[in-house]
Amino acid sequence: MYMKSLIFSIAFLFVAAFGASAQQSGTESNDSTAVVSDTVKERKQTFRASENTARFAISTNIVDLGWFLTPNLDIQYSFGRRWSVEAMTKYNNWTFREEDPMRKNRQCSQEYSAGVRFWPWYVYSGWWFSAGGQYEEYSQRSLTNIYRKEEGDAFGLALAAGHSIQLRSWLNIDFGLGFWSGYKLYKAYEGTEACPDCGKRVDRLDGSEEPSGKFFLLPDEVFVSVMFIF
Amino acid sequence: MKIKEIHLAAAMLLLMLSGCGQTRRLNHIRQENTGIMLTLPQSRIDETSFLDDSIAMAAPVSSDTMTVNIDGHEMVLMKAIKDEETGEMVAHQELQAAFVTARFRNVAERHGNIDLEFEVRVPQSLVSEDWQLRFYPQMRILEDTVNLEKVIVTGSGYRKEQLRGYERYERFLSKIVSDTTKFIDLRNLEIFLQRNMPQIYYFKTDSSYVSEQQFLSYFGVSEKMAIDHYTNRYARKMNERRIAKRDKMYAKYVKSPIVTTGVRLDTVIRNAEGDFVYTYVQPVRTRKGLKKIDISLQGEMYQADRRLYSIPETEPLTYYVSSISSFVNKTPRYLTRVIERQAEVDATWQIEFKAGGSDIDFSLGENAAQMDNISRNLRRLMTDDEFVLDSITIAAYASPEGSVTLNNRLCKSRAGAIERHFDREVRMLRDSIDRTAGMLIVVGDDMTESSMSKVGRNIPDITFKSLNGGENWSYLDVLVENDERMNESEKAVYSDSREIRNLDDREQHLKSYPFYAHMKKDLYPKLRNVQFRFFLHRRDMVKDTVHTTVLDSVYMAGVQMLEDRDYEGAVSILGQYNDYNAAIAYVALDRNISAMNILEKLPETPQVNYMMAVVYSRFGEEKKAVERYLTSCRQDGSYVHRGNLDPEIAALIRKYNLNAEPEDEFDYGF
């Protein structure tokens, strides 16, 4: 549990720091000043956009919504032409087909991540690459074996890349693929029922309640997100 | 399967044969050295050519004759037929008549233009769907060779290929985008700008700001950078490349462009049946001394852009040019000029004198300059080549103020003063000229004087005469009349005062008028002048008048223009002389009535009669034309031949068969 809060606080600090720096740089006052540009002879009037133009973006991944109706939220803030910092959270605690024990689907998980995105051209336009830390608390039935279930905490480094298509000045649609690698502490169960904490423990056969740890490298997500920029 | 194979084989064979067929044709053409025919237009061939009929020429070879070799002896065997009269077997040889087509023709030049007509005849073997024939007629005029407009005969397949080439080029051109904004992703650009630089849209409509504006996003990205990012640079580069290689592509696709300049005819042959015949008419502007023009034809055969065959040059056609200007009469014309012995020169100078005085004061007014001018002119007249100065009369004039008698005396003394001054000067000048004269001594071989002669100008004595001009009232009359400041009433008053005979009274009368001040101040000074009259005679001329004849260069220039075929110029000059040459010029310009007016009055020489025949023919009065023509022929037989050269007469000759020879009776002598 403290693992969760640790990651949470790191992510928060991340965001806050950058937010603060962004605040500082935002005190530039200008909207319509006559600026003497490079060559002395030219006198151009430069109009710079205000600091509040298109800085924040909130997006939600439709694929996740479709995957067991997991609501998710991703908040981004641009602090440079090519950089934005993001924080994402996902929560799922629904049970499907509760009536049928054999086919009961339970996907309990929470996921939190924080990272940065690099946009080669400009924030919120075109290709992007992201890297960040991610923590997931999961309880998941194995895809290959319906009797096997795994639950635990995983944390690691997530990398993703994608392309953001501009639809409107306030709307993007974002496509991406990500994978992550890290360490997970988990317990695996096998049983005739799909339920949490029921069934035989199969990852550790010595009977202890300690979770086993493993390094992993897995595909993480498929993004088809709707992004709102403001 | 088998039938299919057979069909395939047949198809391939056909393809090969058709391809072969073309090549075989080409080879045949090359072997035969097939050429084209250049002929005079067939319809009018016997009109003006020297040869009235085709001449039958003997061809020595006939198929009925052969040479055989028997026992070492060569013998000629000929066909034998039975002679009807004698009953003997005689050798018989049929001669094949060969016809010669006329290769020269007479053309008449009219109004400075000659119309050349010829026919181009292309044999069917040269015409093909895939080929293009190009013919280049050439004209040789005097020393120039002029290329006339080409004649092009295109096969339909060739033309199709040409058009296809243009189509391909058009398709290439259509790929080129001229609107470079097409390469910009405008939609994305717009969204980007709206999102990141919304201030653009507030300022775009405000024109009060300076035109140099730059809009940046918050992170410093400018409009230009955004545009740059959202352009498809690759596509733009490719487009630019296409634009750059346009010309090369044109040359590649359009191998044989359709030419329209310098081409008289470009015809597309669909079904080649029979020979292709084209009548080419070329008007030519005449030149001086032009007697004949040669025309020949060259050609080439093309497929795509390759030349397959060069058609050999045809035999040239010759056109002999005849012109009305050959009738011109070149005898020179003279004018008489009368030359007189005596001559006079008048000159006026303004010499100022002190009031009441008659001494020449060089410091007064312009006297120095005027006296200098007089001296110079004197010297010039004295040393002139053509004239000799005999005497000089000097008259001094005065203005009306003062009494008449006083003025007269003053004038006389002033004239005398001037006379004495110049008399001295003339003598001094004569002495100086005499001094330059010398003796010419020719020394003989033995250094003895052989001859001695005086060299130099002989200036005879110049007599001076001084006159008193008196008060110069006549000149004052002229000055008043032309004066701009006096009005009509004042001038009327002045002319009325002329009634007063006494000059002093007249002056008193005029003094009372206000305009007298103006007269005295402005007009009187002009009256005080000195007039010289120089009497000269022509050197070495004894008789008082001499008549000489001089070539009338104006007339001769007009005649030259007529010879040079510049008819307009000739008429403008010769018109005023109204003679035979003027009539010729009028005839050349088709001004028949003016011509006839002159010709009627001229004596009836053969030339005049012939010209009248031409003019009558133009009027349409054929009877008179024929009469005049026959009269001229009887006077001078060469006009029989000339008649063929002028179309007006030639038409009559043909119509009335004027040149028909009476039936000759050949005397065979047995």
Side-chain angles (χ1 to χ4, degrees), chain B residues 379 381-384 388-390 426 429-434 436 456-462 539:
Chain B
R379 221 172 300 147
L381 284 171
M382 282 172 73
T383 53
D384 190 76
V388 174
L389 196 50
D390 289 328
V426 162
L429 193 56
R430 270 188 52 215
D431 286 342
S432 72
I433 290 172
D434 272 343
T436 64
R457 197 143 277 168
N458 190 8
I459 301 181
D461 265 339
I462 299 172
R539 199 180 286 279

Side-chain angles (χ1 to χ4, degrees), chain A residues 25-26 44-49 51 53-55 80-81 121-122 124-125 166-169 171-172 229, chain B residues 187-188 191-192 194-196 198-199 203 209-210 212-221 225-226 229-230:
Chain A
S25 60
K44 274 199 207 163
Q45 279 203 308
T46 308
F47 299 93
R48 195 182 272 258
E51 55 185 329
T53 316
R55 303 298 295 280
R81 175 180 155 186
W121 153 235
Y122 200 89
Y124 311 136
S125 307
Q166 298 171 119
L167 297 176
R168 293 277 186 279
S169 63
L171 181 65
N172 267 15
I229 301 116
Chain B
R187 194 194 70 97
N188 261 321
I191 293 174
F192 180 85
Q194 272 178 338
R195 181 188 293 175
N196 295 302
Q199 71 272 28
F203 287 112
Y209 285 89
V210 291
E212 285 295 318
Q213 285 166 328
Q214 198 184 34
F215 294 96
L216 301 177
S217 78
Y218 178 70
F219 292 119
V221 165
M225 289 163 76
H229 174 85
Y230 284 111

Side-chain angles (χ1 to χ4, degrees), chain B residues 413-559:
Chain B
S413 59
R414 282 175 181 171
I418 294 176
E419 181 205 329
R420 280 192 298 280
H421 173 89
F422 282 107
D423 192 33
R424 226 180 311 132
E425 211 173 284
V426 162
R427 241 179 287 134
M428 268 178 19
L429 193 56
R430 270 188 52 215
D431 286 342
S432 72
I433 290 172
D434 272 343
R435 251 178 274 131
T436 64
M439 311 285 277
L440 176 66
I441 303 172
V442 177
V443 180
D445 287 335
D446 51 355
M447 300 298 274
T448 55
E449 274 180 30
S450 51
S451 72
M452 197 161 76
S453 51
K454 188 159 189 229
V455 171
R457 197 143 277 168
N458 190 8
I459 301 181
D461 265 339
I462 299 172
T463 48
F464 279 86
K465 187 167 174 189
S466 61
L467 294 173
N468 151 46
E471 293 181 353
N472 202 349
W473 282 97
S474 45
Y475 192 38
L476 184 60
D477 291 346
V478 172
L479 283 177
V480 165
E481 213 176 286
N482 297 328
D483 190 48
E484 288 163 357
R485 279 179 51 182
M486 288 170 72
N487 58 36
E488 290 301 320
S489 60
E490 289 170 338
K491 289 184 190 176
V493 164
Y494 174 82
S495 53
D496 284 342
S497 75
R498 293 225 297 260
E499 311 266 319
I500 305 172
R501 298 262 98 174
N502 188 314
L503 297 175
D504 289 328
D505 289 340
R506 202 192 290 182
E507 216 207 325
Q508 273 312 109
H509 173 77
L510 286 172
K511 263 193 192 155
S512 60
Y513 285 97
F515 60 78
Y516 181 77
H518 156 69
M519 262 176 36
K520 183 165 173 187
K521 181 164 161 288
D522 298 317
L523 304 181
Y524 276 11
K526 296 195 187 133
L527 305 172
R528 306 176 200 122
N529 54 32
V530 177
Q531 284 183 12
F532 282 67
R533 184 169 286 184
F534 301 91
F535 292 92
L536 312 142
H537 71 264
R538 276 181 203 275
R539 199 180 286 279
D540 298 331
M541 194 161 153
V542 174
K543 285 170 67 168
D544 278 335
T545 56
V546 169
H547 297 257
T548 57
T549 52
V550 147
L551 202 61
D552 191 348
S553 52
V554 173
Y555 183 84
M556 296 322 286
V559 168

Side-chain angles (χ1 to χ4, degrees), chain B residues 169 172 242-254:
Chain B
Y169 181 64
F172 165 77
R242 267 191 221 114
I243 292 176
K245 64 175 182 175
R246 240 194 328 206
D247 291 332
K248 235 196 306 167
M249 281 298 152
Y250 182 82
K252 176 181 159 199
Y253 288 129
V254 181

